[in-house]
Amino acid sequence: MASHVDPLVVGRVIGDVVDMFVPATAMSVRFGTKDLTNGCELKPSVAAAPPAVQIAGRASELFTLVMTDPDAPSPSEPSMREWLHWLVVNIPGGTDPSQGEVVVPYMGPKPPVGIHRYVLVLFRRGAGVAAPPPDADAARARFSTRAFADRHGLGLPVAATYFNAQKEPANRRRHY
């Protein structure tokens, strides 16, 4: 009988970005016509614009979405781990990030070398929590999803997914 190994463990998302958690909220992510599955590869040009993210839950529940690159600037030497690509707070359940407050605007993948992981982590937070101010937390380089969650009392994630991307030759970029 084959055992199931969580793709977030295989991809080292659990460990490098977040601690082990039990998914408690459904989250779907789509870039153009491509539904995101853990570990899939996307061309940076396909992920240049923010994805369509659908978050389950009741409207009375609020969520925080964090997207980072734990492999910046290079997977072999991630000295800028993690690079913050997107931060949206106070997203009502049953909606998408456009209904929340953008703290750090979306920045598409731009991996300079190697294959980079891009991780989207969802946290549940209580109603009425104010958006964190765009201070040191909003610094893109050396962001820490764990430290951010600790500072703002978010607890463990309720959902996470990731994709891989690598630099694409200029003459092969596809735009949707």
Side-chain angles (χ1 to χ4, degrees):
M1 186 161 159
S3 63
H4 171 73
V5 180
D6 189 322
L8 296 173
V9 171
V10 173
R12 297 181 338 271
V13 169
I14 292 178
D16 287 352
V17 179
V18 295
D19 294 324
M20 183 64 78
F21 71 96
V22 176
T25 300
M27 174 176 72
S28 64
V29 181
R30 179 184 208 108
F31 284 96
T33 59
K34 175 80 171 163
D35 287 320
L36 194 67
T37 57
N38 279 319
C40 70
E41 183 163 340
L42 289 180
K43 295 189 181 310
S45 57
V46 171
V53 178
Q54 189 62 41
I55 299 166
R58 295 181 302 276
S60 60
E61 296 177 300
L62 295 176
F63 295 88
T64 294
L65 180 67
V66 177
M67 180 178 161
T68 67
D69 171 1
D71 300 319
S74 154
S76 59
E77 288 192 35
S79 61
M80 295 166 78
R81 175 177 290 168
E82 302 161 48
W83 184 269
L84 181 61
H85 280 263
W86 199 20
L87 177 58
V88 185
V89 300
N90 296 331
I91 306 165
T95 67
D96 61 74
S98 71
Q99 303 302 306
E101 299 170 47
V102 175
V103 177
V104 176
Y106 182 82
M107 171 190 277
K110 292 183 174 99
V113 64
I115 299 171
H116 288 237
R117 296 167 292 164
Y118 292 88
V119 182
L120 290 102
V121 181
L122 187 68
F123 295 94
R124 181 179 296 126
R125 49 190 295 155
V129 177
D135 56 11
D137 290 338
R140 291 188 188 264
R142 293 178 191 83
F143 181 85
S144 169
T145 300
R146 274 190 195 94
F148 176 82
D150 286 347
R151 273 194 301 278
H152 298 286
L154 300 177
L156 291 172
V158 294
T161 190
Y162 79 103
F163 65 95
N164 296 309
Q166 61 185 318
K167 186 175 185 172
E168 55 189 307
N171 62 346
R172 292 197 181 165
R173 290 190 180 143
R174 292 184 354 202
H175 297 281
Y176 285 53

